[in-house]
Amino acid sequence: MLAIYKRELYSYFTSPIGYLFVAILWAASGLAFSFFTFLAGQDANISSYFTSELIILMFVTPILTMKSFSEDRKLKTEQLILTSPVSLPGFVVAKFLSSYTLLGGTFIIVNCINLPIMFSYLSDQPLVVYNAVTALGSCVAVLLVGAAFISVGLLISSLTENQIISALGTLIILAALLGASMLNSKIGFAPLRAVLRWLSIYSRFSAFTQGYFDFASLIYYASFAAVCLFVTVRVYEKRRWA
Amino acid sequence: MLKVENLVKKFGDKYAVNDISFSINKGEVVGLLGPNGSGKTTTMNIITGFLSYTSGSVTINGYEILENPSEAKRNIGYLPDQPPLYPEMTVKEYLNFVYDLKGCTLNRKKHIMEICEITKTVDIRDRLIRNLSKGFYQRVGIAQALVGNPKIILLDEPTVGLDPKQIIEIRSLIRGLGRDHTVIISTHILSEVQAVCDRILIMNKGRLAADERTDELTKLMEGTKRVLAQICGSKKTILESLRALDGVSYVESSKEIPGTDATLFKIESNNGSDIRKKIFEMCAEKNMPIIGMELASASLEDVFLNITREKQTASRKTKKTSKIR
């Protein structure tokens, strides 16, 4: 498992994909950050910043996951991995962890730079302590949503050997997951609205940016990721037993 | 070492592998032979645990592949029909990755160096796999199968796409492996099996059509000898007089030889005797000049075609009888 994890991380940086991912995430976060602090003046707030981080992640996650399983399938290297003494869950988890290391690592580094600047800028505001705690809570939430996003990407990637389909499919599903709550008010049928709100990644997330640390949502994100990874394992099992 | 019992694999309601059983002992080099689509690759994929089976069992060094997959897989090195290589890695990095993947405990540097020497990839160790030629792809693929010194090595069509010199090298490499390992190679090239294997398993339409030692299988066909003769004259008269000849079991006229009035005949004798003299004497008597004649001993090709054809007609016959019933 460790071998696959190391090789995956290594392969991100022997192809443009890893650099592309880090560059786009970093640049877009920087833009969003400037936009919601320096350029916002009196209206500077961390809620909009973290919401935009979520939308940025929606766009960059497919870059990270598009080749995960697709490429192994195309190169037939999955035959090597699946005939080696590594278990199927180990294989899937190793892929997940390598993508997650890159996503989480970049996010943490970017915010280690962004957030101190933000607080020094906001230090004359009365709510600075409240803001600091909210920011930390939001960071935790973004990291968990990132895990959920990656696991969706891995699941889609395991279904196709075409990287473009894998990336587009992931993007569409992530957009649908985020968009579900935005369309919510347009739906007349109340029970459906309730289910969608419960499922929606976005409406759960906005609570964090308002300073409300919701453990139930954290568990929701983690189980969302776990279910996707489990289904990915099943996809491979299914193919073996077909 | 390897035991396959009543193995069945169905894709939908089509049988890819239909009830095959065999066992292979330590140090044997076995050829899995069959036309395209006969189930060779599927069988290999099942033995290595890449695919599951519908029923039956596969036991590797005492471990059942589906019950104890990781123990069983530790005893296996596998080169699939397309070498599973990562183009962005160098050969050394790749072999190190495979070493970690298989959880080896041997001395890493020494072991990988040994494998590179066996497969003659020492000089290309530091090159990116992307930039290698097809022959080296195949070598690195074999090197990968050797990592961890597995007891059983399976090679799926290891010489496809290589030039004649490389083929000879890879074959001698495989024969060398047979000293310390059990080797199974799949191929549809008969001369390859004849050159490399001690034993042949012939597969046809998912079934095991034959399981024989190579020398015995060749012996089987030496009973009949075939003469190819180019004889001038009227085709009909020659055919008639050849058929009338004592010891001839089968005559067939083949193509006409351009630029002459001769025709090529395939003549088989029934008791394995050499009938060239008799043909010459008969033709001389009847004034039919022979402009060429050679003795062709049966190759494994004939055995193979015979066996697969026999099975086909046999199965057709049973189908017919069942219809009549």
Side-chain angles (χ1 to χ4, degrees):
Chain A
M1 198 176 124
L2 190 68
I4 301 174
Y5 171 76
K6 280 198 317 210
R7 205 213 70 81
E8 283 297 308
L9 262 190
Y10 169 89
S11 83
Y12 278 129
F13 292 103
T14 48
S15 67
I17 293 215
Y19 297 101
L20 197 70
F21 171 81
V22 173
I24 294 178
L25 180 55
W26 202 318
S29 298
L31 270 178
F33 171 72
S34 314
F35 192 74
F36 291 115
T37 52
F38 309 130
L39 301 175
Q42 284 295 309
D43 303 322
N45 73 73
I46 58 169
S47 164
S48 319
Y49 169 64
F50 279 107
T51 305
S52 58
E53 283 282 73
L54 199 67
I55 291 165
I56 293 166
L57 280 190
M58 178 190 95
F59 282 105
V60 293
T61 307
I63 302 178
L64 206 55
T65 58
M66 66 181 185
K67 70 174 194 129
S68 287
F69 293 107
S70 310
E71 201 183 30
D72 268 322
R73 213 168 143 200
K74 199 166 184 182
L75 293 174
K76 307 276 177 194
T77 40
E78 68 173 21
Q79 280 197 323
L80 167 66
I81 291 166
L82 296 179
T83 58
S84 72
V86 175
S87 70
L88 213 43
F91 173 43
V92 172
V93 168
K95 289 267 183 187
F96 170 78
L97 286 180
S98 62
S99 300
Y100 194 56
T101 305
L102 202 59
L103 183 138
T106 314
F107 180 78
I108 288 170
I109 292 171
V110 167
N111 282 290
C112 279
I113 298 166
N114 285 358
L115 290 180
I117 299 174
M118 183 180 261
F119 289 125
S120 68
Y121 189 74
L122 294 177
S123 58
D124 49 340
Q125 288 192 2
L127 287 175
V128 65
V129 175
Y130 156 78
N131 275 337
V133 175
T134 306
L136 278 180
S138 301
C139 278
V140 173
V142 170
L143 285 175
L144 276 163
V145 172
F149 280 7
I150 285 180
S151 55
V152 170
L154 291 181
L155 173 58
I156 304 298
S157 170
S158 74
L159 295 172
T160 170
E161 53 182 82
N162 187 322
Q163 296 191 17
I164 309 235
I165 291 176
S166 160
L168 275 180
T170 309
L171 185 62
I172 289 167
I173 289 181
L174 293 183
L177 280 174
L178 281 183
S181 60
M182 294 173 186
L183 289 172
N184 219 346
S185 53
K186 301 261 195 317
I187 296 170
F189 188 51
L192 180 63
R193 209 160 58 211
V195 170
L196 275 183
R197 192 176 318 119
W198 189 85
L199 278 174
S200 163
I201 286 181
Y202 176 74
S203 55
R204 282 173 179 274
F205 182 76
S206 53
F208 287 95
T209 64
Q210 306 299 330
Y212 177 62
F213 196 81
D214 182 7
F215 278 104
S217 294
L218 291 188
I219 290 168
Y220 170 76
Y221 293 144
S223 26
F224 188 95
V227 167
C228 285
L229 294 182
F230 175 73
V231 175
T232 310
V233 172
R234 299 307 298 173
V235 166
Y236 269 88
E237 283 283 342
K238 162 81 176 49
R239 205 173 294 145
R240 267 183 85 196
W241 289 91
Chain B
M1 182 62 39
L2 171 69
K3 210 168 167 191
V4 174
E5 280 171 294
N6 303 96
L7 192 67
V8 175
K9 173 73 183 174
K10 277 164 95 174
F11 289 116
D13 48 353
K14 240 195 110 209
Y15 285 93
V17 174
N18 193 350
D19 194 22
I20 65 172
S21 304
F22 57 88
S23 68
I24 294 172
N25 301 321
K26 195 174 172 232
E28 267 187 304
V29 179
V30 177
L32 197 57
L33 198 66
N36 293 326
S38 58
K40 303 182 299 271
T41 299
T42 310
T43 308
M44 284 202 153
N45 278 338
I46 293 172
I47 292 173
T48 52
F50 181 66
L51 286 177
S52 68
Y53 47 72
T54 310
S55 67
S57 77
V58 175
T59 317
I60 292 151
N61 205 18
Y63 298 105
E64 220 290 334
I65 185 76
L66 291 187
E67 280 162 22
N68 287 311
S70 56
E71 272 77 18
K73 285 172 181 175
R74 258 175 235 287
N75 291 301
I76 281 179
Y78 181 34
L79 169 70
D81 46 359
Q82 188 185 332
L85 308 174
Y86 287 105
E88 79 271 16
M89 296 177 112
T90 67
V91 174
K92 206 158 116 193
E93 284 166 347
Y94 174 71
L95 291 178
N96 271 302
F97 162 66
V98 178
Y99 181 94
D100 289 332
L101 187 71
K102 292 188 176 175
C104 301
T105 47
L106 301 154
N107 180 324
R108 179 190 292 263
K109 248 187 170 165
K110 204 176 140 218
H111 182 53
I112 288 178
M113 196 59 203
E114 271 171 14
I115 288 171
C116 285
E117 273 163 13
I118 293 173
T119 53
K120 297 198 178 126
T121 48
V122 179
D123 299 335
I124 55 149
R125 261 176 317 160
D126 295 314
R127 280 175 59 187
L128 282 180
I129 291 175
R130 184 198 310 280
N131 299 333
L132 298 178
S133 68
K134 172 92 185 154
F136 278 119
Y137 264 52
Q138 212 68 27
R139 276 165 200 269
V140 178
I142 295 177
Q144 161 273 121
L146 296 181
V147 172
N149 251 334
K151 297 201 169 71
I152 302 174
I153 294 170
L154 295 104
L155 309 170
D156 196 351
E157 310 211 336
T159 56
V160 164
L162 302 183
D163 65 40
K165 187 168 167 269
Q166 289 169 329
I167 288 180
I168 292 168
E169 283 175 4
I170 296 273
R171 280 182 191 164
S172 69
L173 170 68
I174 292 169
R175 226 170 333 183
L177 292 177
R179 282 194 288 269
D180 309 316
H181 307 263
T182 302
V183 184
I184 304 175
I185 66 169
S186 95
T187 177
H188 53 256
I189 307 163
L190 293 132
S191 56
E192 189 157 296
V193 186
Q194 245 170 340
V196 172
C197 304
D198 314 323
R199 192 174 140 197
I200 301 182
L201 303 173
I202 296 180
M203 284 189 76
N204 188 39
K205 298 194 169 163
R207 286 181 179 278
L208 204 58
D211 177 357
E212 292 276 0
R213 297 197 55 78
T214 313
D215 38 6
E216 274 166 28
L217 209 53
T218 328
K219 229 181 270 169
L220 255 182
M221 278 319 272
E222 272 168 2
T224 43
K225 283 219 165 91
R226 178 186 284 172
V227 176
L228 300 175
Q230 301 168 7
I231 307 173
C232 302
S234 131
K235 207 190 220 172
K236 212 176 145 200
T237 4
I238 301 173
L239 264 178
E240 275 167 9
S241 32
L242 279 174
R243 280 193 183 125
L245 205 62
D246 186 33
V248 171
S249 63
Y250 177 77
V251 185
E252 180 193 304
S253 68
S254 176
K255 59 177 189 228
E256 277 163 31
I257 311 297
T260 63
D261 59 341
T263 316
L264 180 69
F265 293 91
K266 288 180 184 166
I267 308 147
E268 278 175 23
S269 67
N270 47 9
N271 47 10
S273 59
D274 190 350
I275 47 168
R276 282 176 295 180
K277 258 186 187 167
K278 281 184 187 168
I279 294 170
F280 173 79
E281 281 160 5
M282 186 272 292
C283 289
E285 204 175 284
K286 297 193 174 171
N287 199 18
M288 302 185 294
I290 298 175
I291 59 169
M293 181 149 74
E294 61 175 314
L295 189 66
S297 73
S299 69
L300 211 46
E301 200 109 58
D302 304 304
V303 184
F304 177 64
L305 288 177
N306 259 14
I307 285 172
T308 48
R309 213 185 294 141
E310 267 166 33
K311 295 269 164 176
Q312 252 172 11
T313 45
S315 67
R316 235 179 256 149
K317 269 179 199 158
T318 47
K319 263 183 203 164
K320 264 185 197 163
T321 47
S322 62
K323 259 183 202 165
I324 292 164
R325 262 181 233 153

